[in-house]
Amino acid sequence: MSTPDRKAPTRADYVHWRTITTRWRDDDAYGHLNNATYYEFFDTAVNAYLFETTGVNVRKLPKIGIVAETSCRYLREIGFPEPVEAGLVVDKVGSSSVIYRIGLFQGPGEEAAAEGRFVHVYVDNTDPSRPVTPMPDEIREAVMPLWRQN
């Protein structure tokens, strides 16, 4: 449930949209979307955007984004069979990291059913254990239109 001091995000809070099909197996024994599936949707929304916007296979760039942090705020139940609309926005662009917010919506309402935080940190693709490195120009150019600077 939503915490009283934080309102639910709305569709107006996001810049880019992707529709994700739900599957029968996405629901848990209680008939609502399994919590792990929310994270799959976050990952899909971010990485599909990067693939499509850059026009390159981001897995093969010399510097790759690894997930350094994720979280989810669950606001109401969603599940199969309706599709989910994922809204995407960037909260911060650093020299070597990006912080995304992803809102999940199902049905006609304006308020998100869930909101995720997803942090990519860029490292050398040949050895991801190496220190953080500046993000590739292709990625920076792709994420800048999503950035809502406060």
Side-chain angles (χ1 to χ4, degrees), residues 29-112:
Y30 304 107
H32 52 78
L33 199 71
N34 185 286
N35 61 326
T37 307
Y38 287 78
Y39 289 90
E40 291 177 15
F41 289 176
F42 300 156
D43 203 14
T44 295
V46 168
N47 287 299
Y49 174 80
L50 293 176
F51 266 82
E52 292 167 358
T53 305
T54 64
V56 299
N57 182 344
V58 297
R59 294 178 183 140
K60 297 184 187 261
L61 290 172
K63 301 169 188 174
I64 57 169
I66 59 169
V67 178
E69 178 185 335
T70 60
S71 64
C72 183
R73 190 165 60 120
Y74 303 96
L75 302 164
R76 66 176 169 81
E77 293 180 5
I78 58 177
F80 179 83
E82 290 183 53
V84 169
E85 292 177 274
L88 185 60
V89 69
V90 167
D91 280 340
K92 183 179 178 188
V93 178
S95 62
S96 59
S97 64
V98 182
I99 300 174
Y100 299 92
R101 267 188 304 118
I102 306 97
L104 300 182
F105 297 80
Q106 192 172 57
E110 288 299 309
E111 291 188 347

Side-chain angles (χ1 to χ4, degrees), residues 82-148:
E82 290 183 53
V84 169
E85 292 177 274
L88 185 60
V89 69
V90 167
D91 280 340
K92 183 179 178 188
V93 178
S95 62
S96 59
S97 64
V98 182
I99 300 174
Y100 299 92
R101 267 188 304 118
I102 306 97
L104 300 182
F105 297 80
Q106 192 172 57
E110 288 299 309
E111 291 188 347
E115 183 174 57
R117 175 182 162 96
F118 192 91
V119 180
H120 263 163
V121 173
Y122 283 83
V123 297
D124 187 316
N125 194 4
T126 61
D127 183 2
S129 67
R130 288 190 183 173
V132 173
T133 184
M135 79 179 72
D137 291 338
E138 302 95 313
I139 301 296
R140 181 171 299 283
E141 290 171 14
V143 300
M144 292 307 287
L146 299 178
W147 189 15
R148 290 228 173 134

Side-chain angles (χ1 to χ4, degrees), residues 8-21:
T10 66
R11 292 179 185 273
D13 294 320
Y14 304 95
V15 176
H16 178 78
W17 292 91
R18 166 169 300 284
T19 300
I20 301 172
T21 302

